[in-house]
Amino acid sequence: MKLNDVSVQGLTIRTWRAWIDAALTGAMSSRPLFNVRPGRDDRFDAIFIGGGAAGRFGAAYLRAMGGRPLIVESFPFLGGSCPHVACVPHHLFSDCAAELMLARTFAGRLWFPPMDGVVVSIREVVELFRRGRTGPHAVMNYQTKEQLDVEFVLNAPAHIVNARTVEVAGRRFSGRALVLATGARARKLDIPGAGLRGVFDYASFVNDLDYEPGNTIVVVGGGKTAVEYASFFNATGRRVVMVTRGRLLAAIPDAETRAYVIDRLVEQGVEVHEGAELLELRDGGDGRVGSAVLRVGGERVVEATDFVFAAIGEIPNSETAVRALGVETNAAGAILVDECLQTSVPGVYAVGDLIGPPMEMFKARKSGTYAARAIMGEAVSFRPASHPDFLHTHYEVSWLGPGEEEARARYPRLVTLRLPPDTPDGLHVGLPAGDRVMLYALAKPHLSGFQKLLVDGASRRIVGAHHVGYGAKDAFQYLNKLVRDGITIDELGDLDELFLNPTYFIQLARLRSGAKELIGI
Ligand code: FAD
Ligand code: COM
């Protein structure tokens, strides 16, 4: 299929998909694709280098404001790492972990088939993802071109000529502003044997896996990605050994919530070693890892494994811009920006993972749009304020605001509303019950989740919320705004709940909001 200048033709999603599939399989990997309007000079309001969430949303916003953006993207699709190697596969694997935990918990009961000794193929799930991912990729290209009217060049890297000009596949484009949106990449293990086959990170796992991992998997790291992938590997029926130098899931701010999450993880069989280290990987004889040498509790432990998954953080892709433009970075390599997302070089902006944590989609997309507004002359102030957060184990874990310990220090009259009840037998009652935990609530209550709302008894304001279960993430997006705006327990209790709902926060608030002196539940 010959497609290298598509600006004057409308392309269907199907055509895009065929082209992306061909480009990704190497059939036309060297051919750039231009969607740049002819008959106009090649001057833009802003050139976005990188068409991931940050670059794509930034460019779309700038176009919506009446400006002329250009995206240059080295992949043959827009959307970046999220739909290709990061969020989307992570959610697939987390869905599988939840489904498999349910299937294993109820194996041989109701309609669930026996699962004793059943090990599910990891490779098949990865291949399913690889085959399916170009569907969403095609939609991103279609939407950006046909619906958002944004010009772009795909399948070719941008080379920075100066602070206003880039060169792509032999063509030069210039803009009033340059927006760096090149994302981040997985930090690599730096230990003997790290180069062996069988050592994966989140990207190489979905791009390169070409065998069925054996029965023991070693996961290095203790953050979101490590736990999300460890939970999936565990749910497939394999032994999973997690090694982390620090504390597991230190990001979860509430100690009780974190303890519930880790208890369930361990109960599912994940072996967790905190304060431990992966020292060395040894060749199994065929160039692939055969064993991992760990330091656990001061002892050396050797685990036979043919699959090691490293999730030890991410490094911003800032090197090229630093070399070409001298933009300033911090010690971690994140590009430094001001409130308008402008770097140390006037007219050059940086957005998304490239500017450091939080490396999350909301920040990528929002920072892109704020940069666009600044370039179009609006006075903006981008300061990532307190934001809701989440991760997956076999469950979905959502939170906003501080944990109970920090909240108690800040608010001496702190009151908590929680489920299950805080009693010795609390874990063994059938609450919480709600969407997708009903079977657990009735048959295995301690698996049905955990939730806690923190209220400042003095001001009656909600100050924090924590949830383990399924389906609460959506509510947390909106609850965060209400909490930031100062919603009280009385106002929360006056909302109209859609019962049974995953969080119970509204009805718990209503039970107590009649009290002048607030009391917990
Ligand atoms: P990217 O999406 O990485 O885009 C950068 C783009 O720049 C890439 O497409 C790259 O090809 C391009 N590029 C680089 N150099 C050049 C060049 N020289 N010329 C042209 N193009 C170039 N966040 C969430 O909110 N929810 C989640 O569930 C979630 N899950 C995640 C799971 C994993 C495993 C990981 C690693 C991350 C996850 N994230 C999640 C974070 C989220 O994926 C990122 O924050 C987001 O994708 C960053 O977008 P970005 O545009 O900054 O970078
Ligand atoms: C989503 C990618 S997977 S983007 O943020 O819509 O570009």
Side-chain angles (χ1 to χ4, degrees), residues 350-432:
V351 293
D353 283 2
L354 186 60
I355 61 172
M359 291 191 187
E360 304 286 348
M361 288 295 279
F362 80 89
K363 202 220 51 211
R365 290 167 169 166
K366 271 179 84 169
S367 60
T369 62
Y370 273 66
R373 288 163 59 187
I375 292 163
M376 294 302 283
E378 212 181 290
V380 298
S381 170
F382 182 77
R383 285 206 204 109
S386 69
H387 58 88
D389 211 343
F390 83 100
L391 57 84
H392 287 109
T393 53
H394 303 76
Y395 294 90
E396 174 193 294
V397 186
S398 311
W399 65 90
L400 60 87
E404 185 174 340
E405 301 68 28
E406 193 187 325
R408 275 200 191 285
R410 272 198 235 167
Y411 309 101
R413 286 168 63 188
L414 191 82
V415 168
T416 65
L417 307 181
R418 88 205 264 296
L419 277 177
D422 192 7
T423 61
D425 58 354
L427 267 186
H428 304 287
V429 300
L431 282 174

Side-chain angles (χ1 to χ4, degrees), residues 135-423:
H137 292 352
V139 176
M140 300 290 152
N141 288 5
Y142 172 82
Q143 184 189 67
T144 309
K145 179 176 182 295
E146 309 300 341
Q147 298 179 315
L148 301 172
D149 192 28
V150 171
E151 293 167 81
F152 50 76
V153 184
L154 297 180
N155 216 21
H159 301 285
I160 301 171
V161 177
N162 58 43
R164 299 287 174 275
T165 313
V166 299
E167 190 170 296
V168 194
R171 264 175 89 172
R172 283 197 174 197
F173 299 97
S174 43
R176 282 197 295 115
L178 210 59
V179 185
L180 309 170
T182 48
R185 62 185 182 277
R187 182 183 295 281
K188 300 276 179 210
L189 283 173
D190 183 16
I191 53 164
L196 288 168
R197 286 188 294 119
V199 181
F200 294 93
D201 57 40
Y202 64 86
S204 57
F205 174 55
V206 292
N207 286 332
D208 304 336
L209 184 75
D210 60 358
Y211 67 100
E212 193 59 57
N215 213 34
T216 295
I217 287 181
V218 173
V219 174
V220 194
K224 287 186 180 190
T225 303
V227 168
E228 284 158 354
Y229 286 68
S231 301
F232 167 58
F233 300 145
N234 158 270
T236 64
R238 289 169 177 79
R239 181 174 166 243
V240 173
V241 181
M242 289 196 79
V243 192
T244 173
R245 282 189 177 148
R247 292 164 71 230
L248 192 75
L249 290 180
I252 299 179
D254 184 72
E256 227 179 348
T257 307
R258 177 173 168 269
Y260 179 87
V261 170
I262 294 177
D263 284 353
R264 299 289 80 73
L265 207 57
V266 171
E267 187 177 14
Q268 289 304 307
V270 177
E271 296 171 35
V272 177
H273 299 303
E274 295 182 316
E277 210 172 349
L278 174 64
L279 301 174
E280 180 188 345
L281 296 170
R282 292 184 182 155
D283 194 333
D286 52 357
R288 178 178 296 165
V289 64
S291 60
V293 184
L294 319 177
R295 184 186 52 74
V296 178
E299 306 216 333
R300 279 168 82 88
V301 176
V302 180
E303 292 287 358
T305 181
D306 66 356
F307 184 99
V308 173
F309 185 83
I312 52 173
E314 286 177 68
I315 304 175
N317 294 321
S318 57
E319 295 86 347
T320 318
V322 170
R323 267 198 308 276
L325 299 169
V327 287
E328 285 175 20
T329 62
N330 67 14
I335 293 187
L336 298 176
V337 291
D338 62 17
E339 280 176 23
C340 307
L341 285 311
Q342 192 162 211
T343 68
S344 57
V345 177
V348 177
Y349 295 73
V351 293
D353 283 2
L354 186 60
I355 61 172
M359 291 191 187
E360 304 286 348
M361 288 295 279
F362 80 89
K363 202 220 51 211
R365 290 167 169 166
K366 271 179 84 169
S367 60
T369 62
Y370 273 66
R373 288 163 59 187
I375 292 163
M376 294 302 283
E378 212 181 290
V380 298
S381 170
F382 182 77
R383 285 206 204 109
S386 69
H387 58 88
D389 211 343
F390 83 100
L391 57 84
H392 287 109
T393 53
H394 303 76
Y395 294 90
E396 174 193 294
V397 186
S398 311
W399 65 90
L400 60 87
E404 185 174 340
E405 301 68 28
E406 193 187 325
R408 275 200 191 285
R410 272 198 235 167
Y411 309 101
R413 286 168 63 188
L414 191 82
V415 168
T416 65
L417 307 181
R418 88 205 264 296
L419 277 177
D422 192 7
T423 61

Side-chain angles (χ1 to χ4, degrees), residues 51-54 56-57 78-84 87-88 136 140 143-144 361 364-365:
R56 195 173 89 88
F57 272 69
L78 297 164
S81 56
C82 170
H84 200 56
C87 327
V88 178
M140 300 290 152
Q143 184 189 67
T144 309
M361 288 295 279
R365 290 167 169 166

Side-chain angles (χ1 to χ4, degrees), residues 9-57:
Q9 51 183 306
L11 294 185
T12 62
I13 293 171
R14 189 188 293 256
T15 311
W16 273 121
R17 187 164 191 186
W19 182 77
I20 294 166
D21 278 331
L24 283 177
T25 51
M28 47 194 307
S29 58
S30 59
R31 288 179 68 86
L33 177 144
F34 289 88
N35 169 38
V36 181
R37 253 173 248 128
R40 294 181 64 173
D41 62 11
D42 284 345
R43 282 196 60 79
F44 294 84
D45 287 303
I47 298 178
F48 290 79
I49 303 184
R56 195 173 89 88
F57 272 69

